[in-house]
Amino acid sequence: MKVKLRLGATDGWVGTPDGGSHYIWGFVDLTGVPENKLSGFRGKAQLMAPPIVLKVEDEVYLTLTNLGTPDRKGLKEPHTIHLHGFPNQIPVYDGVPEASMAVPVTRDLVYYYKPLDPGTYLYHCHHKPAEHIQMGMAGPLIVRPRDFDPTDIEYKTAYGHGTGTEFDREYFIFLSELDGTIHNLVAKAQEPDWTNYKPTHWLINGRSYPDTVNTTDRFPGQPWPAAVGANVGERVLLRFVNLGFQQHAISIPGVDFRVVAVDAVRLQGLNGEDLSYFKNIIYIAPGQSMDAIFTAPEAPDLYPATLPLFNRNYNKNTLAGGEMGGMISEVRVYAPGTLPPQAAPSL
Amino acid sequence: MPTVNLWATDGYVGTPDGKNVYIWGFTDKEGGAAQLPGPAIIVKQQPYLIPTVVTVNLTNKLAEPVSLVFPGQGEVRVNGQPAQPQYQGDKLVSFINHALPGETITYQVTLTGPGTFLYESGTYPHRQVQMGLHGAMIVRPPDYLGLHPEKQTAYGRNTGTEFDREYLLVLGEIDPGLHQSVEHGLPYDTGEFNPRYRTINGKCWNGTVSGDGDGHLPARPYGSMIMMEPGEKVLLRCAGAGFESHPLHPHGNHARVVGLDGKLLQNCGISGTTDLSFKRFTILTGPGQTCDLIYTWTGPGYEPDTNPIPTRLPQIRKMALAPTGLTMWSGSPYLGVKGELPGEIESCNQIGEYHFMLNSHGVPGITGQGAFPGGMPAMIAVYPAGTLEPHHGMLPTESHTP
Amino acid sequence: MGAVIQNLWAKKGRIKFPGGAALPFWGFASSANGKPQIPGPLIKARAGDLVTINLYNHLKKNISLLFPGQQFIPRPVKENGVFVSYNTPAAPGDCTSYSFTAARPGVFLYESGTSPEEQVSMGLYGALVIYPRGYDDLLSPDYHTAYCGNTGTGFDVEKVLILGELDSRLNMAADTGSRFNMPDYNPDHLVINGRSYPHTLLPDNYGLLSSQPVGSGLGIIPGQRVLLRIINAGLQNHTFRLLGITARVVAVDGWPLKADENSLNATYLKNTITVAPGESYDLIFTVNGQGQYFLHHRDFNHPGKGNRFPGGMATRLTATLFESAGVPAAPLDLSCALINRKGVKLSWKNSSTGEEGFVIERKITGEDNIELLAILDNPGRQEYTDSTVLPGISYSYRICAYNSAGASKHSNICRIDTNNIEQGPEKLTCTTMYGKRADLAWSGSNARGSGYAIERRADNSEDFQTIAEVGPNTTFYRDLSVVNNTIYTYRVKAVFPAGAACHSNECVTVPKAAPLSAPDQLRSVYVTDKSVFLVWDHDSSDENKFHIERKTGAGPYIEIDVVANSQTWYTDKDVQKNGTYYYRVRTHSKSEGFSDYSYELLVNTP
């Protein structure tokens, strides 16, 4: 199927629960927006960048439009999209400006790809990537298997029928860090020294706890909460992506993860060996993705039971060094039949 | 049996911002300056059941004891005796027998099998390994035969590790402050370790995109410009010689991890062989660890006439090109085709080859002294079929045969 | 199915590190009157057992426990919708109880679930080892296995290594009730089982480390199957190396990589592993030869407190053909003697053969506090010199021998008073550094004094003057207050609280201006058949000139031009097609003459 998508690159502002606000650069979904309405999206970058959902054999035409940075008017920063993990890409669609080209302010570029392998991928800007990723130009991308059918439990899978990746619900756990000092310097048009990188906030889906579990719509620049919900016994697929610069170690006490795929590749050996494995800590490096499935555990008397999800690097679970915050979220387990079937990931 | 002569000595390496950093390192040339990383020791294993013993003579031209450890190898003997940790008074000095200043020590190392390994100093390693006293050791399987389609392998015939070309990537970091302290005899405090440069084979961008033996970088002999043709299997031997983990992301395709710490990811049992290799788009090489990857890029086969790319490119002149003043791009979307680039753009592209970045996703991993690019990005260059010499990129079968 | 009940008392305590540092910590004790320990008591159970933990809180904050990896559903507590504890806490002075069924074999953590960034860092953690049901039944296939029969996890020797870190600043802050800024977390003490090397080598229950009762030295016989269970209770990744050993990874997070006889064998070999916070790795290996093997942190930027090597997260495995004869015999006939400028020399007779090393303990005669002065981590020693003594004090010493089976009884006590000792710095050297500075280095620790005074005499004066005072552990000083081309004489004086002082030898130096550095990174940016464009780097700001030299083929170098300092490039227009040219550049200043040459650059014209 031919899929036409459009992303705008621009700037914006996001908040953290300690009352801080941070200047960002990021992407915003422009798919279907008429040309004469594009300027209304300037300054409306989102953190994390909008999730992209594709299907195997889709012919994807992804247009990047550089809307400029209204809060840094003098800045004429070009941008690109690097579709991280897509095999056999060619350089003009790979988004590396040193090996092809970048998109200057007011210009467009169409990136084409036809995904053949399902999985959890990521995308980000590759112009001055340390700066542009840190500033927020990064998001998740999933490719569904060709036989994906959300209404049939045998075909609601991450990697296709018969791959042992059936799930009832799915959520993004998109990990990143934010160095408030660097964002502040960029906002003031000053040059940061990246070797002094020292994050002040750790984020899941662009938010720091407790905003991660806040389902109100008061976060226009950060529209994706990270609370996980499931009825007892349901299989929950967590799509982990790390686009920070540090390794992270995510844990949910009371839950055993079965890791079914890493880097959008189902865990199997050359001869088809099933190499999926159980883990209690999801240790994930920058630029990696992992798909892990767990069964919502029984917790009689407690429904809805709340299981904390946190980074076992406990020093990353604070708000700028103060209150509990950062890479923390919740898994809520409900009595059977409480939650209706899930319509879209990461709700 | 192979004999390797190494000298531990000092020298300087240049950085992209024009500084010279004092290093300690190994050289295999008497009177030579220190190399970063040390000379690759490449040996071929003896046939099955015959032990392979490598003799390494280390001469210490530095002012403090220096030693060599060989993680992942078998027994190490010094003067016929098993090597042992060395103490001075009540303090551990070396994990293994060392050479005092001016002395030569002989290690006899029994190999355990094919793979990619590190060797590094086992004396005051917090200082000596950071200063550059480390290198890689490659052990080839006994049936290795260069340019033979089934016998040019990392781990032996029928292990699924055939390759067409191979590259060694020794990953590390340089904290110039610590190097300066050592150079001037000042107190050395690794608690303040703040590496300003991330390196592949001792080089930062743009050094990483030059070939072997680059005359501008005499202290760093190994290139990390990875050159290949479509469909070829490229063996990338990654060795984490520094103190940090480096998540390397090859653009263009996943890489299949076939070995860790020089051990094939395969188990044999009564019921047959279990393959444990795995594909990754980001490969984390931890400190002191190694990782053998096989990378392939086949491509979608676009041709200007028969199979054109499915989008219309904008006018190149209106796009942002060559962000650092220079581009690796040909100006054309097609492999083997040179396009038109605006006249003021300097292109390093030779014959329309494709360039894919191989970069660290860890922080300042892709910056040098805090600015991009610098640090760790290297390039994978895919040349049109039939344009590269068959031996291009190949390391010698053995490095130190008598 | 059995039942395991473990009582834990959470308390404040103090832990010790090599070199005499001590820190407040919070830990668990296994009895009401016991000392808290780091890590907490090792809890052992068998699969299927009902495990009950009774937690008594003797701290001033709420604490709770989490059991990651167990089928245990925590009951978080929230205030204003935000977690304040991940599980039901015990208030100060209260007790709470947790129980769960130990579902599967493996090595796991138990740890605080309340402000864990502070409480786990302070030491509120321990390990839980669950064995297969038939683990101690000789007739069971599970006998002496980590994960049941058919999982390839049979072993002869088992050792649990719990990795951890402490940031002294966090411990000091938490102890006084103030908050530490977590993004500044940068641990300075790295530990295995709560101890830093070389304390790790001391046997379990070593008397002076009463809150760090677990050693991690290993004594084995070659050929024995060793099960090493590494679990990371810290907040950071740690990379651990088994030097000279290649181990098989048989389980991760308590999940065996070969689950039973029919399942895939996904075990693999490693010699160095990175363990993330909360992760556990079970490794099995054998060693064939006798000797010592170090098991150490490969993150060499963290060697130990004060960034000295060795230290921190390291321990040692000793393989000997004969099983250790048990606890070594006590050293005999300890005697003490004063040696000027060195300290107190201890000598003894070694009456043991199976020791791994010796421990020196010291106290000031008449006082209570015994200090763990030094660990001599090598066998066969018969003497030791204590260079940290102060003049005018009476000291008492005793020593013992140790191995992994335990520590010997103490030797006799010897006493000595230091009224007549001469002590002070020695071997002072001055290094001539370029550029208005002089570097001094000396030997001798003055840990018991208040420091050193640096004294200097310039060539035109007669008296030494004190130009600086530095701390007692310093053995280096850089004098930046010099004038170039002046003759300076230095000496260093040890300063003691009582006022006694000794001088070092004298040394002389003449600081000089820096020589010119050579041009660097000479490169050709643009080459045609008519011209060669050269660029180089130079950081000099002086009024220098650059001299460009060229040679053609095998001929000599000829200077072809001179350009001003501000110009770090040159175009050679006098070249021909298909020519081979070598270039080099040096710089020159009136005051300092010529620098070295740059690298030689080869250019072939098209």
Side-chain angles (χ1 to χ4, degrees):
Chain A
M1 204 175 76
K2 206 165 179 174
V3 177
K4 286 196 160 185
L5 301 170
R6 190 173 196 179
L7 289 175
T10 183
D11 61 357
W13 292 84
V14 295
T16 44
D18 55 333
S21 57
H22 310 277
Y23 180 63
I24 64 160
W25 299 338
F27 294 108
V28 59
D29 190 359
L30 301 178
T31 307
V33 175
E35 292 294 320
N36 60 359
K37 297 278 198 291
L38 289 179
S39 62
F41 288 84
R42 299 182 75 223
K44 293 192 174 160
Q46 290 176 339
L47 192 73
M48 73 189 165
I52 297 176
V53 180
L54 304 171
K55 200 166 178 176
V56 163
E57 297 204 339
D58 276 349
E59 295 196 54
V60 185
Y61 293 82
L62 170 59
T63 305
L64 170 64
T65 300
N66 188 341
L67 297 174
T69 46
D71 282 344
R72 279 277 315 270
K73 287 204 173 54
L75 186 76
K76 298 279 180 241
E77 201 72 352
H79 298 292
T80 71
I81 292 177
H82 169 56
L83 299 159
H84 178 117
F86 276 179
N88 293 311
Q89 186 58 288
I90 62 169
V92 284
Y93 300 141
D94 193 43
V96 174
E98 293 80 7
S100 60
M101 55 193 149
V103 184
V105 180
T106 74
R107 301 268 162 205
D108 288 332
L109 182 64
V110 181
Y111 295 87
Y112 173 85
Y113 191 70
K114 184 175 172 182
L116 298 177
D117 303 305
T120 304
Y121 296 83
L122 31 151
Y123 72 95
H124 59 84
C125 177
H126 217 292
H127 183 78
K128 295 188 193 161
E131 180 174 31
H132 287 222
I133 291 174
Q134 168 59 205
M135 288 305 290
M137 308 194 80
L141 184 156
I142 61 182
V143 177
R144 299 217 180 272
R146 187 167 19 175
D147 59 6
F148 183 74
D149 180 354
T151 63
D152 182 332
I153 59 165
E154 282 191 34
Y155 289 88
K156 188 176 181 180
T157 68
Y159 286 87
H161 178 244
T163 58
T165 59
E166 300 81 8
F167 64 88
D168 298 300
R169 296 176 193 279
E170 62 183 325
Y171 295 89
F172 288 114
I173 302 292
F174 184 92
L175 308 171
S176 65
E177 309 113 26
L178 188 154
D179 178 335
T181 311
I182 282 180
H183 283 247
N184 195 21
L185 286 173
V186 172
K188 291 182 188 157
Q190 289 166 8
E191 199 58 45
D193 177 348
W194 288 92
T195 50
N196 290 334
Y197 179 67
K198 188 179 169 196
T200 50
H201 293 84
W202 285 267
L203 312 176
I204 306 180
N205 297 355
R207 297 185 182 188
S208 170
Y209 183 81
D211 291 350
T212 49
V213 296
N214 190 322
T215 48
T216 62
D217 56 1
R218 62 182 181 89
F219 305 97
Q222 296 147 284
W224 291 282
V228 174
N231 298 324
V232 61
E234 285 185 331
R235 293 157 303 185
V236 181
L237 168 64
L238 296 184
R239 296 179 180 270
F240 290 91
V241 174
N242 182 355
L243 263 173
F245 296 138
Q246 304 178 328
Q247 279 95 262
H248 299 294
I250 304 298
S251 174
I252 307 173
V255 156
D256 299 326
F257 299 109
R258 187 165 65 89
V259 179
V260 297
V262 182
D263 288 359
V265 179
R266 186 159 74 91
L267 290 167
Q268 57 173 357
L270 269 188
N271 317 311
E273 295 93 337
D274 176 13
L275 298 177
S276 70
Y277 54 83
F278 281 97
K279 279 288 281 164
N280 294 99
I281 296 277
I282 298 291
Y283 175 57
I284 184 168
Q288 276 195 329
S289 78
M290 280 196 197
D291 295 314
I293 296 175
F294 71 87
T295 304
E298 289 184 19
D301 314 334
L302 292 176
Y303 299 124
T306 302
L307 305 179
L309 177 158
F310 55 73
N311 194 335
R312 182 55 181 70
N313 298 111
Y314 286 130
N315 49 322
K316 299 175 181 172
N317 295 345
T318 59
L319 279 176
E323 308 290 325
M324 190 171 247
M327 273 185 192
I328 302 176
S329 187
E330 289 175 7
V331 178
R332 290 189 199 121
V333 182
Y334 295 86
T338 309
L339 292 180
Q342 191 189 32
S346 202
L347 283 178
Chain B
M1 294 286 173
T3 298
V4 183
N5 295 314
L6 293 179
W7 285 263
T9 182
D10 59 359
Y12 287 88
V13 291
T15 61
D17 49 337
K19 298 205 170 73
N20 264 336
V21 176
Y22 180 68
I23 60 163
W24 292 347
F26 297 109
T27 172
D28 52 1
K29 291 170 192 67
E30 188 165 11
Q35 292 183 3
L36 189 67
I41 301 176
I42 309 175
V43 293
K44 187 170 163 182
Q45 227 199 340
Q46 294 294 305
Y48 185 58
L49 288 181
I50 302 177
T52 312
V53 181
V54 182
T55 301
V56 182
N57 298 312
L58 170 66
T59 303
N60 181 4
K61 303 184 79 172
L62 293 171
E64 64 182 50
V66 175
S67 63
L68 284 174
V69 296
F70 301 91
Q73 304 303 345
E75 191 189 37
V76 180
R77 294 181 93 85
V78 174
N79 302 328
Q81 296 298 313
Q84 281 294 288
Q86 299 296 306
Y87 302 87
Q88 200 171 56
D90 59 337
K91 286 275 175 6
L92 176 72
V93 172
S94 302
F95 290 132
I96 193 167
N97 304 59
H98 52 232
L100 294 172
E103 283 185 358
T104 298
I105 188 170
T106 299
Y107 300 96
Q108 285 175 307
V109 186
T110 305
L111 306 185
T112 52
T116 305
F117 303 89
L118 282 164
Y119 68 86
E120 61 190 25
S121 175
T123 306
Y124 304 122
H126 66 303
R127 176 168 64 231
Q128 294 194 359
V129 174
Q130 163 63 202
M131 284 302 289
L133 288 164
H134 57 74
M137 181 157 172
I138 294 171
V139 182
R140 299 207 183 271
D143 59 2
Y144 179 84
L145 189 59
L147 304 181
H148 185 285
E150 287 156 25
K151 295 184 175 175
Q152 180 165 298
T153 67
Y155 285 92
R157 203 171 177 174
N158 298 323
T159 58
T161 60
E162 303 82 15
F163 61 87
D164 298 299
R165 301 179 196 277
E166 67 179 334
Y167 296 88
L168 173 65
L169 305 174
V170 180
L171 314 176
E173 316 91 31
I174 295 173
D175 178 344
L178 295 182
H179 287 246
Q180 210 172 10
S181 297
V182 169
E183 182 175 14
H184 298 305
L186 296 172
Y188 180 88
D189 185 355
T190 50
E192 291 169 14
F193 181 62
N194 185 8
R196 299 288 178 169
Y197 308 99
R198 269 77 178 179
T199 58
I200 298 181
N201 294 341
K203 298 169 192 174
C204 297
W205 177 274
N206 289 318
T208 52
V209 294
S210 53
D212 281 1
D214 184 323
H216 302 152
L217 303 167
R220 287 155 299 172
Y222 301 103
S224 39
M225 180 73 174
I226 294 155
M227 297 161 92
M228 62 180 286
E229 293 181 9
E232 287 184 336
K233 291 177 177 159
V234 178
L235 175 65
L236 302 177
R237 299 176 180 271
C238 299
F243 299 167
E244 296 187 332
S245 295
H246 296 287
L248 279 187
H249 168 54
H251 286 227
N253 208 347
H254 291 66
R256 189 163 68 87
V257 180
V258 297
L260 293 176
D261 285 7
K263 299 293 171 196
L264 177 66
L265 283 166
Q266 205 169 79
N267 281 322
C268 295
I270 305 160
S271 53
T273 302
T274 305
D275 179 72
L276 302 173
S277 68
F278 46 83
K279 282 185 166 180
R280 292 279 187 274
F281 54 56
T282 301
I283 299 95
L284 186 67
T285 304
Q289 295 160 71
T290 70
C291 199
D292 289 320
L293 321 172
I294 293 179
Y295 175 88
T296 303
W297 183 91
T298 310
Y302 292 124
E303 293 275 350
D305 302 323
T306 57
N307 184 18
I309 61 165
T311 66
R312 240 185 82 179
L313 294 187
Q315 281 186 307
I316 291 172
R317 177 166 290 285
K318 294 186 173 164
M319 302 303 281
L321 301 167
T324 58
L326 148 156
T327 185
M328 313 299 284
W329 190 32
S330 66
S332 161
Y334 297 103
L335 181 61
V337 176
K338 291 274 267 183
E340 290 273 322
L341 286 168
E344 71 275 14
I345 301 289
E346 190 191 344
S347 174
C348 300
N349 196 287
Q350 292 180 300
I351 55 168
E353 74 277 9
Y354 279 172
H355 287 262
F356 294 103
M357 200 170 256
L358 173 71
N359 63 277
S360 167
H361 251 273
V363 73
I366 37 177
T367 62
Q369 193 71 23
F372 180 85
M376 212 167 248
M379 282 289 185
I380 300 170
V382 180
Y383 282 76
T387 59
L388 289 181
E389 294 290 326
H391 61 268
H392 200 103
M394 291 301 300
L395 298 165
T397 299
E398 294 178 85
S399 60
H400 294 85
T401 38
Chain C
M1 304 291 146
V4 171
I5 298 172
Q6 175 78 48
N7 296 321
L8 297 175
W9 279 263
K11 301 178 183 183
K12 278 173 76 157
R14 280 181 87 73
I15 44 177
K16 294 178 181 171
F17 296 97
L23 276 183
F25 86 111
W26 301 339
F28 297 113
S30 52
S31 68
N33 301 320
K35 281 203 169 186
Q37 62 179 74
I38 180 170
L42 185 70
I43 303 175
K44 292 186 174 186
R46 284 183 299 172
D49 283 350
L50 180 68
V51 179
T52 303
I53 314 275
N54 299 314
L55 173 63
Y56 299 87
N57 184 359
H58 288 195
L59 294 171
K60 288 182 182 157
K61 294 190 168 185
N62 283 359
I63 62 169
S64 64
L65 286 178
L66 282 179
F67 303 96
Q70 306 303 323
Q71 289 177 4
F72 173 88
I73 304 296
R75 297 175 181 229
V77 178
K78 290 184 171 182
E79 274 171 23
N80 303 321
V82 177
F83 290 126
V84 291
S85 182
Y86 290 141
N87 201 4
T88 312
D94 273 0
C95 169
T96 191
S97 196
Y98 309 97
S99 58
F100 54 90
T101 301
R104 56 185 168 105
V107 54
F108 305 95
L109 286 175
Y110 65 88
E111 55 180 346
S112 172
T114 307
S115 301
E117 76 287 354
E118 177 182 72
Q119 297 193 2
V120 174
S121 303
M122 285 298 284
L124 291 170
Y125 63 81
L128 164 66
V129 181
I130 302 175
Y131 295 97
R133 276 230 71 70
Y135 165 75
D136 48 6
D137 177 358
L138 250 172
L139 301 176
S140 165
D142 301 346
Y143 180 69
H144 258 244
T145 65
Y147 289 92
C148 306
N150 300 315
T151 59
T153 59
F155 63 89
D156 302 306
V157 179
E158 180 193 28
K159 187 73 193 173
V160 179
L161 301 182
I162 307 174
L163 312 183
E165 317 120 19
L166 298 102
D167 183 324
S168 302
R169 300 165 304 167
L170 183 149
N171 285 55
M172 308 298 241
D175 185 53
T176 55
S178 53
R179 173 175 275 152
F180 177 71
N181 182 44
M182 287 310 293
D184 292 338
Y185 183 71
N186 184 16
D188 51 352
H189 292 288
L190 301 196
V191 294
I192 305 175
N193 294 340
R195 297 181 182 174
S196 285
Y197 181 92
H199 287 179
T200 49
L201 303 179
L202 293 177
D204 289 356
N205 302 313
Y206 187 79
L208 291 184
L209 299 172
S210 52
S211 279
Q212 296 144 286
V214 186
S216 43
L218 260 164
I220 62 149
I221 301 171
Q224 278 187 324
R225 294 167 302 172
V226 181
L227 170 66
L228 202 61
R229 324 197 80 164
I230 302 178
I231 187 160
N232 184 357
L235 276 52
Q236 301 189 327
N237 304 329
H238 295 292
T239 296
F240 206 69
R241 168 172 286 168
L242 316 181
L243 186 57
I245 294 169
T246 297
R248 187 164 283 277
V249 181
V250 297
V252 182
D253 288 4
W255 297 100
L257 295 175
K258 179 173 173 16
D260 56 53
E261 61 187 315
N262 297 318
S263 75
L264 189 86
N265 178 5
T267 63
Y268 56 95
L269 296 169
K270 285 286 274 174
N271 65 66
T272 306
I273 53 164
T274 299
V275 188
E279 276 192 325
S280 75
Y281 278 79
D282 281 311
L283 312 174
I284 289 185
F285 61 86
T286 57
V287 300
N288 296 320
Q290 295 190 76
Q292 295 182 344
Y293 297 81
F294 266 87
L295 316 178
H296 66 85
H297 206 216
R298 175 56 179 70
D299 304 342
F300 288 135
N301 48 327
H302 284 301
K305 174 64 183 168
N307 304 299
R308 288 186 299 252
F309 173 86
M313 204 179 270
T315 187
R316 191 173 63 196
L317 178 150
T318 306
T320 44
L321 270 180
F322 304 101
E323 206 154 352
S324 150
V327 177
L332 304 172
D333 299 342
L334 179 68
S335 62
C336 317
L338 277 187
I339 302 189
N340 283 341
R341 289 190 189 272
K342 295 273 190 212
V344 172
K345 182 177 175 186
L346 307 179
S347 310
W348 61 89
K349 260 190 210 154
N350 184 10
S351 66
S352 167
T353 50
E355 82 280 358
E356 286 177 20
F358 297 87
V359 189
I360 317 286
E361 297 179 5
R362 178 180 79 177
K363 67 171 194 160
I364 295 173
T365 308
E367 292 185 4
D368 289 334
N369 186 31
I370 305 172
E371 186 184 357
L372 205 171
L373 182 66
I375 296 169
L376 315 183
D377 54 358
N378 44 353
R381 288 280 291 266
Q382 311 248 23
E383 58 178 52
Y384 174 75
T385 301
D386 175 10
S387 56
T388 63
V389 293
L390 274 180
I393 294 197
S394 172
Y395 290 100
S396 298
Y397 294 89
R398 63 181 188 182
I399 70 171
C400 65
Y402 73 91
N403 62 20
S404 52
S408 74
K409 291 204 163 65
H410 286 110
S411 68
N412 59 304
I413 292 173
C414 76
R415 287 200 183 87
I416 192 160
D417 74 59
T418 54
N419 285 339
N420 300 318
I421 194 167
E422 282 180 26
Q423 214 186 15
E426 58 178 353
K427 292 183 188 158
L428 176 69
T429 56
C430 309
T431 311
T432 303
M433 302 296 296
Y434 294 114
K436 290 178 74 173
R437 58 192 189 187
D439 284 354
L440 311 182
W442 60 92
S443 61
S445 159
N446 190 19
R448 292 291 159 141
S450 33
Y452 294 105
I454 315 291
E455 298 179 340
R456 184 181 77 185
R457 187 178 67 195
D459 51 2
N460 53 1
S461 67
E462 288 183 3
D463 296 326
F464 278 99
Q465 289 186 332
T466 299
I467 56 166
E469 291 187 359
V470 295
N473 292 318
T474 311
T475 55
F476 177 86
Y477 181 72
R478 169 166 286 179
D479 182 6
L480 293 171
S481 63
V482 297
V483 176
N484 280 344
N485 304 319
T486 309
I487 301 167
Y488 291 102
T489 306
Y490 291 90
R491 66 183 187 191
V492 176
K493 183 174 77 172
V495 180
F496 295 103
C502 305
H503 281 111
S504 70
N505 57 305
E506 295 177 2
C507 69
V508 179
T509 185
V510 185
K512 286 187 166 58
L516 280 176
S517 62
D520 186 29
Q521 305 280 323
L522 177 64
R523 55 205 186 266
S524 57
V525 176
Y526 188 74
V527 179
T528 70
D529 57 357
K530 296 189 183 64
S531 68
V532 172
F533 182 50
L534 303 171
V535 179
W536 58 89
D537 299 338
H538 197 252
D539 54 9
S540 161
S541 58
D542 297 327
E543 291 296 312
N544 309 335
K545 288 185 173 1
F546 292 107
H547 294 244
I548 297 104
E549 296 186 13
R550 184 180 84 174
K551 78 173 177 179
T552 310
Y557 268 106
I558 295 163
E559 185 170 300
I560 55 172
D561 213 339
V562 178
V563 296
N565 178 21
S566 55
Q567 182 181 331
T568 56
W569 67 88
Y570 180 73
T571 305
D572 178 8
K573 291 182 177 156
D574 180 25
V575 299
Q576 293 175 345
K577 278 186 190 175
N578 299 319
T580 296
Y581 301 96
Y582 295 87
Y583 293 91
R584 63 186 187 185
V585 180
R586 58 180 172 167
T587 184
H588 182 267
S589 83
K590 273 182 188 161
S591 55
E592 327 223 8
F594 278 106
S595 72
D596 284 345
Y597 284 106
S598 68
Y599 297 130
E600 181 177 84
L601 175 73
L602 165 64
V603 176
N604 289 309
T605 54

